[in-house]
Each structure stands twice: as structure tokens, then as C-alpha cells.
Amino acid sequence: ACWVRLRVTGVTRNLTPQAHAHDREAGWSPDGRRVAFISDRSGDEAIYLVSQEGGEAKQLSNGKRGRINAPSWSPDSQQLAFIDHQGTLVVVDLTGKEREVVRNPYAQINDYSWSPDSAWLAYTQPTESGIPAIFLWSRSSGESKLASDPFFVSFSPSFSPDGQYLYYISDREFAPQIGSFEWNYVVDR
């Protein structure tokens, strides 16, 4: 069951009084009108929406993706991004239309971030060489483009509050080390 405390001085209400379902990862929409959560009440995991006032929950995603995780609201409260067990990053809108952003069968995509205007979704995905890099997915075109240098490990994208900059962490030091495989000791060069 998803429990939500409405105000510090308000009451706590059960928004999903289902005894037969596992409801998890609840999150408020940025406009404060809805709560999204993952549930297996249909037999398969899917994202559901419920009004912050309570009522019947509406199934949003199609429920055919196996285990899903980490739903993230777009700032305009119109879409949610989530990942499935096959390494697919998916965006679903409030009508239930799903769009696959990218599929990575080798590693789970676990960090992504919406731009403040909800037009872009930044995410970390390994390049063909296996090095994690930052990509930008355009909501309007549905296409992704590389946004970081593919020769350096980059991760944890985040937009500035005004949306003008994309920040991320990157490993940018070339300091080769000889390890135990080569010489049985490490030399700090």
C-alpha cells in the first residue's frame, strides 16, 4: 500500500488499499496533483497513477516489461521515465503511450535526469567501447545524441535550474598504473 502524508499537520491516508498487490516507489508529480507508483496488481508490474485526493488508481504503462524501477516525473508532470529489467529506458505519457529511449542489454541504465522544460532527458549509457557516456534524448524528435566525450567515463547527469547547462561527473585523469597482472606491484607514475 502507498501511504502519503499530505501536510505536516495533516492526516495520513492510504491511497492504494489493495491487500493483494505490492505497491512501491511512490512519487509525487511536480504539480502535486498525482502520485505515481509501481504495482503488480494486474499480475505484472506497471506504473499506476492515483489522485492525491485518493480514488481509483489508473494503470499507465502496459505491464509487459517485467520488473520495472525508478520512475521519474518530467517537471511538467506529463511524462514519467523508468527502466525495465532488460535494460530499456522508457518514457510513458499520461495517455499511456510508451516510447523506448534506449535499450542496453548489458547494463542497467540507472541515472537519468529531465531538463527543467521537460524537453530533454539526459542519461548514462555505455558507448560501443564500453565506456559510460552522457546522452541526451529529445522529447520532440525521439532521438538521442552523445553529449560527453566518449573517451572519458561520464555519469550522473543533472541540468542547471535554468536548463542552460548540463552537469555531469567525469573521470578525466590519465595515470596508468602497472598492476599485479603485469609486474606484481603497482607503481604510481
Side-chain angles (χ1 to χ4, degrees):
C2 289
W3 293 85
V4 176
R5 186 165 179 90
L6 297 177
R7 289 179 292 246
V8 174
T9 59
V11 298
T12 301
R13 289 186 287 172
N14 184 353
L15 296 177
T16 61
Q18 300 284 329
H20 67 281
H22 179 220
D23 300 331
R24 62 185 177 82
E25 295 191 53
W28 286 99
S29 62
D31 64 11
R33 295 176 47 206
R34 300 173 201 87
V35 174
F37 60 96
I38 297 170
S39 180
D40 62 359
R41 62 183 60 197
S42 68
D44 294 309
E45 286 194 347
I47 294 180
Y48 286 79
L49 292 181
V50 65
S51 168
Q52 60 90 16
E53 297 172 355
E56 190 64 33
K58 170 189 168 189
Q59 183 174 336
L60 191 61
S61 64
N62 67 27
K64 297 178 182 174
R65 295 194 171 274
R67 177 98 172 152
I68 60 176
N69 291 298
S72 174
W73 281 100
S74 61
D76 66 1
S77 300
Q78 298 301 305
Q79 298 193 63
L80 286 122
F82 65 92
I83 53 176
D84 71 14
H85 77 285
Q86 294 180 328
T88 306
L89 178 59
V90 180
V91 172
V92 62
D93 66 22
L94 295 183
T95 67
K97 179 183 175 190
E98 293 184 12
R99 297 169 74 184
E100 288 191 6
V101 174
V102 67
R103 176 175 286 177
N104 181 4
Y106 306 110
Q108 187 112 22
I109 297 170
N110 58 13
D111 61 343
Y112 40 93
S113 175
W114 286 100
S115 64
D117 64 0
S118 303
W120 300 92
L121 183 66
Y123 62 92
T124 303
Q125 161 83 5
T127 61
E128 289 180 11
S129 65
I131 297 173
I134 305 299
F135 289 82
L136 282 172
W137 176 76
S138 168
R139 182 173 167 180
S140 62
S141 72
E143 295 179 3
S144 291
K145 294 184 181 195
L146 181 64
S148 65
D149 190 321
F151 297 109
F152 297 99
V153 171
S154 301
F155 55 95
S156 194
S158 182
F159 286 90
S160 62
D162 64 4
Q164 296 297 308
Y165 299 96
L166 174 64
Y167 299 104
Y168 57 90
I169 299 171
S170 185
D171 297 336
R172 300 267 173 153
E173 181 181 24
F174 281 119
Q177 302 281 321
I178 298 173
S180 62
F181 181 73
E182 292 89 359
W183 293 41
N184 292 330
Y185 62 92
V186 174
V187 176
D188 187 1
R189 296 182 184 189

